[in-house]
Amino acid sequence: MDIALWIVAGIAALLFLAAGAMKALQPKEKLATSMGWVDDFSTPQVKLIGIAEVLGALGLILPALFNTATILVPIAATGVAVIMIGAMVVHARRGEAQMSPINVVLFALAAFVAVGRFFIEPF
């Protein structure tokens, strides 16, 4: 189980790092061409979402990697799971059903790590 949790945390971290960095570093106007939802948010809000995803990605791996404050791993996983719930709500309100599978998969990865590291195989 420990190996499975490491693998899933690594995959989730890569995905959240890539998505978060894109939102944090690219101009909102450029993001709007492929992510229509950004029009519903201000530029600082989009950047904040991106920064939260990057920090969540780092929190999924770094505490465990350095064996320091490992309780942060399931907390970070819970945080990115909550972000995905928010994403599901936004996409549902906008009628963007095609985004649901991506949000559900990312939520499931984060929830698996959160439950696994809180209850099944804590550090």
Side-chain angles (χ1 to χ4, degrees):
M1 182 57 84
D2 187 53
I3 293 170
L5 286 164
W6 269 104
I7 291 169
V8 172
I11 292 168
L14 288 174
L15 294 171
F16 281 108
L17 184 63
M22 183 171 50
K23 291 175 193 111
L25 299 174
Q26 289 187 5
K28 180 181 168 185
E29 296 74 28
K30 185 173 180 182
L31 292 172
T33 61
S34 60
M35 299 179 188
W37 64 267
V38 299
D39 291 332
D40 295 347
F41 294 86
S42 68
T43 298
Q45 289 172 319
V46 173
K47 300 296 180 200
L48 182 63
I49 292 167
I51 291 167
E53 289 177 348
V54 168
L55 291 174
L58 296 174
L60 286 171
I61 298 297
L62 294 181
L65 189 63
F66 293 113
N67 197 30
T68 303
T70 54
I71 189 64
L72 293 176
V73 173
I75 291 171
T78 302
V80 291
V82 169
I83 292 171
M84 285 300 98
I85 291 170
M88 288 182 227
V89 170
V90 168
H91 291 303
R93 286 185 181 168
R94 291 179 51 87
E96 298 171 341
Q98 71 277 12
M99 294 304 297
S100 293
I102 295 167
N103 297 143
V104 169
V105 167
L106 290 171
F107 172 81
L109 293 172
F112 176 76
V113 174
V115 171
R117 288 301 182 196
F118 268 131
F119 304 111
I120 300 169
E121 187 76 32
F123 292 102

